[in-house]
């Protein structure tokens, strides 16, 4: 086996390892709160997560890959004529491999230490490390990096805002009304319509992009609104017919929201697959393209082959199946205070934020956006008790993960370079 | 990631309800206590006292558990200080019930016939006050579910107002019973009179504490 195909095989394993870690780590985000609120059993949660993570990764995944691969480190610097010399393309491939291994390993370690680390932040940090290791501080586009870092702070804020507003609406219209059960019968169908509209909007506009030309935005909105209206009309008789719950009006409201929460949990799983598969697939796709040219050329735009996305999706599902279930179980058991109304609001805020961000090509952390959604509901005084010390830990992890992942990938990169050259 | 789970601290509202239940169990035994005492059945007074004492101890354990799990880094829909004061007042209800039970085991004092009727009415009114406190305080998880707003809050505030009426009524019964005791000064003797006065004051204090607890709940709701 020559160096090129050897490198390709090792990178495929590295990419699969990273995807596996993403699945093992992050899936609890989407499903943990639903299991906690009792809206889903553990088994159903695993099956739904597997299906929709995979679909999200496969259908929407390629949108986000660009920013991670090219935006942070200027890829043209690695051209054979560039400052890295004739071996530039090979160095880029080694760098991407180092990034995958280090981000995957860092996630692996963090999972064992129960540290609140983001997969997105890990891979961004690792790629920055490669840029600095090769070209010094000038090798990183600090403008893009700043934008990404700002989005890390902006996305939980946006998630919090959406979670806050959704809960305030539900509280005013349903929980505080004279007849909460009756109000939920009235408003429920519209919420079903809203959720369906947004899910289909993201699905039509983004998911099918790999299959067909994206339809114009107005058309996508129109079709989604129509589907939402259909869902509203279809769900109305079902919701109206539901008998009063013997546990009282609030039980009745919660039971209805349990269904909506499952829908948003699926939405989060889909959004997570779409957003986070890039963390494994981006560097991998780059190496695949480099190998195709025999490490002689740098392509400015790199298509992400479907089979690479497939590998990423399978990796995530494997991670979810082997380790993720345990994380979901733990998370579900620990958050017994979550109710479906609260879970719905937090997840809705998070999923909408992640989809907006991945549409704009900004890598955001799904974990931290969901944390933002939960805090938003808490600020609207919906949560029984939130641990603000954890919020501090999360912010600390934002600051710590990037340098640690960068140092990790630089080390692996130097080792790989010593082996190859 | 476990981050999401770590964000959720243990809710104090479930354990608070448990504390309410435990305290209520002690007050529930007060009529039985007086039944035994007025029947001069001293061994049964002792037996009821022991049950109340055990229940009070359990309430204390729940109280300490709540306090242990309420770090100041918690973000809650109600003020942490208000919640702790509510807990303190609620716990005092059980303390008073225990004090009363201990007192009744101290001295074998017969109940004169003329005292029975006003005493029974007084006990009854104290129990009614604490029943209403129990009904109000055990709605706390529902209030949290409704996020401390809307018709649930109005219902609670209305109950709290009624508790204050009930307590006032209990005060009047206490005065009546006290008068009945003092009217029998000669017949009872000084020690018995003083003993009765303490019994009546402690019994009345149960209603006072129930009212205070309800007032704490009112403050918790009003601050928002």
């Amino acid at each position: 086996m020559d160096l090129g195909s050897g490198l390709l095989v090792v990178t495929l394993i590295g990419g699969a390892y990273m995807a596996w870690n993403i699945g093992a780590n992050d899936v609890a985000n989407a499903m943990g709160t639903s299991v906690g609120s009792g809206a889903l059993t553990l088994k159903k949660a695993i099956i739904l997560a597997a299906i929709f993570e995979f679909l999200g990764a496969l259908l929407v995944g390629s949108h986000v890959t660009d920013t991670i691969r090219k935006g942070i480190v200027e890829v043209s610097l690695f051209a054979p004529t560039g400052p890295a010399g004739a071996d530039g393309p090979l160095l880029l491939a080694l760098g991407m491999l180092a990034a995958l291994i280090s981000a995957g390993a860092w996630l692996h370690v963090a999972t064992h230490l129960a540290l609140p680390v983001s997969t997105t932040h890990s891979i961004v940090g690792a790629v920055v490390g490669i840029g600095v290791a090769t070209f010094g501080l000038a090798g990183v586009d600090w403008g893009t990096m700043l934008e990404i870092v700002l989005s890390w702070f902006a996305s939980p804020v946006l998630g919090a805002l959406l979670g806050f507003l959704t809960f305030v609406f539900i509280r005013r219209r349903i929980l505080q009304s004279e007849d909460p059960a009756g109000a939920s019968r009235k408003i429920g169908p519209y919420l079903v319509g809203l959720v369906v509209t947004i899910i289909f909007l993201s699905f039509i506009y983004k998911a099918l992009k790999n299959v067909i030309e994206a339809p114009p935005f107005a058309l996508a909105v129109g079709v989604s609104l129509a589907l939402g209206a259909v869902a509203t009309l279809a769900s109305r008789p079902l919701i109206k017919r539901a008998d009063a719950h013997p546990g009282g009006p609030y039980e009745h409201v919660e039971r209805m929201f349990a269904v909506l929460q499952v829908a948003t949990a699926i939405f989060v799983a889909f959004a997570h697959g779409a957003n986070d598969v890039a963390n494994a697939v981006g560097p991998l796709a780059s190496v695949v393209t480099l190998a195709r040219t025999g490490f002689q050329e740098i392509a400015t735009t790199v298509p992400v082959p479907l089979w690479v996305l497939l590998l990423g999706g399978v990796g995530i599902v494997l991670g979810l199946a082997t380790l993720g279930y345990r994380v979901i179980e733990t998370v579900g058991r620990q958050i017994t205070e979550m109710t479906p109304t609260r879970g719905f609001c937090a997840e809705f805020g998070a999923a909408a934020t992640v989809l907006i961000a991945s549409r704009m090509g900004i890598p955001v952390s799904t974990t931290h956006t969901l944390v933002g959604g939960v805090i938003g509901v808490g600020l609207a005084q919906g949560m029984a008790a939130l641990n603000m010390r954890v919020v501090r830990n999360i912010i600390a992890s934002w600051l710590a993960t990037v340098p640690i992942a960068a140092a990790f990938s630089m080390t692996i990169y130097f080792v790989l370079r010593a082996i190859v050259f | 990631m476990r981050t999401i789970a770590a964000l959720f601290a243990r809710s104090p509202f479930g354990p608070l309800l448990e504390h309410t239940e435990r305290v209520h169990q002690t007050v529930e035994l007060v009529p039985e206590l007086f039944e035994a005492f007025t029947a001069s059945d001293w061994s049964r007074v002792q037996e009821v006292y022991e049950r109340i004492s055990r229940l009070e101890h359990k309430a204390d354990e729940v109280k300490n558990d709540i306090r242990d799990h309420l770090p100041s880094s918690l973000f809650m829909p109600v003020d942490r200080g208000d919640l702790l004061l509510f807990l303190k007042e609620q716990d005092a209800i059980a303390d008073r019930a225990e004090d009363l039970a201990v007192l009744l085991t101290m001295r074998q004092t017969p109940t004169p016939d003329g005292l029975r009727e006003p005493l029974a009415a007084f006990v009854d009114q104290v129990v009614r006050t604490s029943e209403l406190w129990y009904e109000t305080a055990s709605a706390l998880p529902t209030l949290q579910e409704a996020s401390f707003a809307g018709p649930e809050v109005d219902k609670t505030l209305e109950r709290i107002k009624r508790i204050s009426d009930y307590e006032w009524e209990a005060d009047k019964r206490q005065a009546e019973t006290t008068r009945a005791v003092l009217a029998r000064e000669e017949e009872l003797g000084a020690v018995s009179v003083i003993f009765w006065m303490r019994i009546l004051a402690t019994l009345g204090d149960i209603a006072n504490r129930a009212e205070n607890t309800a007032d704490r709940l009112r403050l918790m709701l009003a601050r928002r």
Side-chain angles (χ1 to χ4, degrees):
Chain A
M1 203 191 294
D2 64 348
L3 178 65
S5 37
L7 190 57
L8 187 60
V9 169
V10 176
T11 313
L12 286 177
I13 296 169
Y17 175 65
M18 177 65 184
W20 178 78
N21 268 304
I22 294 170
N25 265 299
D26 274 7
V27 232
N29 296 346
M31 294 294 161
T33 52
S34 301
V35 175
S37 74
L40 277 178
T41 62
L42 183 62
K43 200 174 148 192
K44 281 182 193 162
I46 301 285
I47 294 170
L48 287 175
I51 294 171
F52 287 93
E53 289 274 344
F54 185 76
L55 284 178
L58 197 65
L59 298 176
V60 193
S62 69
H63 275 297
V64 190
T65 52
D66 288 345
T67 310
I68 287 175
R69 205 168 25 74
K70 301 186 316 214
I72 304 165
V73 177
E74 188 47 66
V75 181
S76 61
L77 287 175
F78 284 97
T81 52
D87 287 325
L90 189 58
L91 285 175
L92 177 60
L94 288 179
M96 291 296 123
L97 173 59
L100 283 175
I101 295 172
S102 60
W106 170 235
L107 284 178
H108 211 148
V109 170
T111 311
H112 275 283
L113 299 176
L115 291 172
V117 160
S118 148
T119 58
T120 306
H121 299 186
S122 304
I123 196 75
V124 167
V127 171
V128 166
I130 302 306
V132 173
T134 320
F135 306 109
L137 290 177
V140 174
D141 183 344
W142 296 106
T144 308
M145 188 60 197
L146 184 69
E147 251 173 59
I148 291 173
V149 170
L150 286 180
S151 82
W152 290 345
F153 290 89
S155 63
V157 170
L158 189 59
L161 186 70
L162 289 173
F164 181 93
L165 293 176
T166 316
F167 184 70
V168 165
F169 174 79
I170 287 171
R171 184 176 59 192
R172 189 165 300 162
R173 285 309 174 85
I174 298 177
L175 298 175
Q176 294 185 2
S177 74
E178 288 298 325
D179 172 19
S184 72
R185 281 200 189 92
K186 222 178 286 166
I187 292 166
Y190 294 102
L191 288 174
V192 171
L194 178 69
V195 169
V196 167
T197 303
I198 290 182
I199 290 176
F200 273 92
L201 186 62
S202 57
F203 197 74
I204 294 171
Y205 194 49
K206 298 159 52 58
L208 301 178
K209 186 139 188 172
N210 284 351
V211 189
I212 51 162
E213 252 334 91
F217 192 65
L219 180 66
V221 170
V223 172
S224 301
L225 279 175
L227 279 166
V230 169
T232 300
L233 292 174
S235 63
R236 184 173 286 159
L238 289 174
I239 291 173
K240 280 240 163 92
R241 218 184 302 142
D243 296 326
H245 196 276
Y250 292 105
E251 277 295 315
H252 186 92
V253 173
E254 293 299 349
R255 205 176 47 161
M256 190 196 81
F257 272 94
V259 181
L260 278 171
Q261 197 197 358
V262 172
T264 50
I266 287 172
F267 188 30
V268 174
F270 185 81
H272 176 260
N275 186 66
D276 286 34
V277 76
N279 298 334
V281 152
L284 180 56
S286 161
V287 175
V288 168
T289 315
L290 287 166
R292 200 170 284 154
T293 66
F295 302 101
Q296 297 303 317
E297 284 170 43
I298 295 285
T300 41
T301 52
V302 179
V304 178
L306 196 63
W307 68 267
V308 172
L309 278 174
L310 204 64
L311 181 75
V314 169
I316 287 182
V317 170
L318 279 181
L320 148 76
T322 52
L323 275 182
Y325 77 94
R326 222 188 299 159
V327 180
I328 296 179
E329 197 186 13
T330 316
V331 170
R333 221 173 325 110
Q334 282 174 359
I335 50 176
T336 49
E337 315 301 344
M338 174 66 95
T339 59
T341 44
R342 276 66 170 173
F344 168 77
C345 298
E347 286 171 9
F348 185 76
T353 306
V354 169
L355 279 161
I356 292 167
S358 66
R359 175 69 218 150
M360 290 164 68
I362 301 166
V364 295
S365 159
T366 318
T367 310
H368 297 158
T369 308
L370 187 55
V371 167
V374 169
I375 293 172
V377 179
L379 288 175
Q381 296 178 316
M383 298 290 182
L386 292 181
N387 197 337
M388 293 317 266
R389 197 169 296 152
V390 176
V391 176
R392 225 171 48 206
N393 288 347
I394 290 166
I395 293 173
S397 92
W398 282 340
L399 303 176
T401 293
V402 173
I404 292 174
F408 226 21
S409 75
M410 279 161 109
T411 312
I412 294 174
Y413 180 56
F414 286 131
V415 170
L416 285 174
R417 247 177 24 177
I419 294 171
V420 172
F421 294 103
Chain B
M1 206 55 180
R2 290 182 182 88
T3 331
I4 302 290
L7 196 60
F8 291 87
R10 204 184 68 158
S11 158
F13 296 102
L16 262 182
L17 179 63
E18 196 189 337
H19 186 257
T20 305
E21 306 269 0
R22 297 249 185 253
V23 172
H24 181 238
Q25 283 167 0
T26 65
V27 184
E28 268 183 326
L29 288 175
V30 167
E32 202 179 329
L33 188 69
F34 273 100
E35 224 170 80
F37 186 78
T38 52
S40 302
D41 186 347
W42 312 121
S43 65
R44 217 174 117 216
V45 170
Q46 179 66 29
E47 188 249 327
V48 178
Y49 154 69
E50 277 163 20
R51 275 158 66 196
I52 289 181
S53 174
R54 266 196 303 276
L55 288 167
E56 191 274 341
H57 181 62
K58 277 187 191 161
D60 266 348
E61 282 175 353
V62 179
K63 177 191 72 181
N64 290 330
D65 182 53
I66 294 172
R67 286 179 177 170
D68 288 346
H69 289 92
L70 223 55
S72 53
S73 60
L74 280 194
F75 184 81
M76 291 186 293
V78 292
D79 185 87
R80 179 171 171 274
D82 285 346
L83 199 146
L84 286 170
L85 284 172
F86 169 82
L87 179 66
K88 185 182 162 201
E89 282 301 332
Q90 182 162 272
D91 199 63
I93 301 174
D95 287 343
R96 301 276 78 189
E98 197 196 20
D99 289 348
L100 180 68
V102 172
L103 201 57
L104 294 189
T105 61
M106 293 288 180
R107 188 170 180 270
Q108 302 189 347
T109 307
T111 311
D113 280 338
L115 212 55
R116 285 176 198 278
E117 204 187 310
L119 181 63
F122 182 25
V123 170
D124 195 48
Q125 190 57 34
V126 169
V127 169
R128 279 175 65 187
T129 311
S130 64
E131 286 290 338
L132 192 55
W133 146 75
Y134 172 65
E135 202 187 317
T136 312
S138 51
L140 206 53
T142 312
L143 283 171
Q144 196 265 319
E145 164 67 37
S147 136
F148 295 94
E152 280 305 314
V153 170
D154 297 339
K155 255 187 249 172
T156 302
L157 289 176
E158 195 274 322
R159 280 198 201 110
I160 293 172
K161 214 190 267 168
R162 258 199 299 153
I163 290 176
S164 140
D165 293 343
Y166 278 26
E167 195 275 335
W168 182 49
E169 198 63 36
D171 279 347
K172 286 194 280 189
R173 298 276 165 275
Q174 181 175 351
E176 262 167 43
T177 320
T178 309
R179 265 195 290 275
V181 169
L182 292 176
R184 288 164 184 77
E185 221 178 282
E186 300 296 318
E187 177 196 335
L188 289 166
V191 178
S192 285
V193 167
I194 290 168
F195 188 64
W196 272 111
M197 300 288 273
R198 276 199 61 190
I199 290 174
L200 299 180
T202 313
L203 177 60
D205 222 18
I206 292 180
N208 288 335
R209 297 296 179 159
E211 190 194 17
N212 287 355
T213 310
D215 276 342
R216 288 291 163 196
L217 189 59
R218 191 211 302 263
L219 280 180
M220 216 192 280
L221 297 174
R223 194 173 286 207
R224 298 168 31 81

